[in-house]
Amino acid sequence: MVADLKYQRILLKLSGEALGPQGFGIDAETVRSIAGEIKRVHSLGVEIAMVIGGGNMWRGADAAATGIDRATADYVGMLATVMNSLVMQDAMEKQGMVTRVQTAIEMPPVAEPFIRRRAVRHLELGRVVILAAGSGNPFFTTDTAAALRAVELNAQILLKATKVDGIYDDDPMRNSNARKFDELSYMRALNMGLKVMDSTALSLCKDNHMPIIVFDLHQPGALEAIIRGEKCGTLVSS
Ligand code: UDP
């Protein structure tokens, strides 16, 4: 237990898009830099579970729009998250962190299956647990998988890393007058129909009182600032 930290156990959700500079593919330097940000908080003694998306390679809904069966397309998406997770694991271990990948779809030669109690034990032993293959079910997203795992693993907060530094009342990339929220209730976030997190994920967090902070992981030091309790990003809570 580290006394001066606000959060001792976190669930960090990374979009697949975060791994490639143009939101597509995987850029080794970007992955190394993200691993470096995670190492900063890991070395403080924070227990870290991660869920990584697959949108930099494949999105089930987009693929289904081209005529592929939706469930099949979603399984492909879940496999994309496994690829991202293995690449992130490699980068993190090269920086000295001990990690385990656990998959929601069993693939023993590649990674452990997701076993909640084992994941908790890894966290207690200081291993970063990367939870791959989403929830293992089609028609869900990795945001929902992240909400589910955050609740299951008793994380104190779900940290959702995005390209922008919080939630705005309009797209800040297109509207320079868009206003950033420091805090937002679950209900308001749900009513706003936010793109940053889907309603299934938000509802799960709301029902289980799991706070969410949306922040920009590419902003150096942002993750550590949050862990130390500094105001950063947008907090979504009751
Ligand atoms: N996916 C799924 N079930 C899950 C998680 C993910 O079917 O529990 C599929 C879905 O097709 C999704 C894709 O995996 O589009 C990649 O995940 P996501 O879009 O959430 O990735 P991100 O946007 O976070 O990169």
Side-chain angles (χ1 to χ4, degrees), residues 13 15-16 53-55 58-60 74 77-78 134-135 137-142:
K13 162 71 208 299
S15 295
W58 187 274
R59 281 185 205 284
D74 279 341
M78 286 184 261
S135 66
N137 301 294
F139 301 98
F140 285 90
T141 64
T142 49

Side-chain angles (χ1 to χ4, degrees), residues 13-17 52-56 58-61 70-71 73-81 84 133-145 160:
K13 162 71 208 299
L14 283 184
S15 295
E17 277 185 353
I52 307 180
N56 54 326
W58 187 274
R59 281 185 205 284
R70 173 66 192 264
D74 279 341
Y75 279 110
V76 176
M78 286 184 261
L79 295 178
T81 73
N84 284 336
S135 66
N137 301 294
F139 301 98
F140 285 90
T141 64
T142 49
D143 278 357
T144 303
K160 157 98 189 190

Side-chain angles (χ1 to χ4, degrees), residues 79-94:
L79 295 178
T81 73
V82 178
M83 290 196 255
N84 284 336
S85 298
L86 294 177
V87 172
M88 184 53 73
Q89 175 180 43
D90 179 82
M92 291 171 70
E93 296 224 319
K94 292 223 163 83

Side-chain angles (χ1 to χ4, degrees), residues 14-191:
L14 283 184
S15 295
E17 277 185 353
L19 307 186
Q22 261 75 53
F24 194 80
I26 298 177
D27 176 61
E29 194 41 55
T30 306
V31 173
R32 272 195 287 272
S33 146
I34 293 172
E37 288 298 309
I38 297 169
K39 187 175 179 177
R40 282 170 74 152
V41 298
H42 184 251
S43 59
L44 298 174
V46 179
E47 295 177 6
I48 306 169
M50 294 172 64
V51 167
I52 307 180
N56 54 326
M57 297 185 206
W58 187 274
R59 281 185 205 284
D62 295 348
T66 69
I68 300 173
D69 173 75
R70 173 66 192 264
T72 303
D74 279 341
Y75 279 110
V76 176
M78 286 184 261
L79 295 178
T81 73
V82 178
M83 290 196 255
N84 284 336
S85 298
L86 294 177
V87 172
M88 184 53 73
Q89 175 180 43
D90 179 82
M92 291 171 70
E93 296 224 319
K94 292 223 163 83
Q95 295 193 28
M97 288 170 270
V98 179
T99 69
R100 293 288 186 275
V101 174
Q102 291 199 344
T103 55
I105 298 169
E106 285 197 31
M107 42 184 93
V110 174
E112 293 177 8
F114 173 69
I115 298 172
R116 191 184 72 85
R117 291 174 63 101
R118 189 184 278 187
V120 168
R121 190 71 191 129
H122 287 321
L123 292 174
E124 288 168 351
L125 292 172
R127 298 168 183 151
V128 179
V129 183
I130 305 172
L131 301 156
S135 66
N137 301 294
F139 301 98
F140 285 90
T141 64
T142 49
D143 278 357
T144 303
L148 173 66
R149 300 302 187 221
V151 174
E152 277 188 281
L153 298 175
N154 292 319
Q156 291 164 291
I157 186 112
L158 167 53
L159 299 177
K160 157 98 189 190
T162 66
K163 286 178 290 186
V164 285
D165 61 350
I167 300 175
Y168 286 74
D169 61 359
D170 197 3
D171 185 348
M173 305 280 192
R174 284 192 218 146
N175 177 1
S176 56
N177 293 320
R179 202 168 57 92
K180 186 182 147 202
F181 295 100
D182 286 336
E183 291 188 19
L184 209 55
S185 69
Y186 296 114
M187 224 42 224
R188 178 127 191 240
L190 278 163
N191 289 335

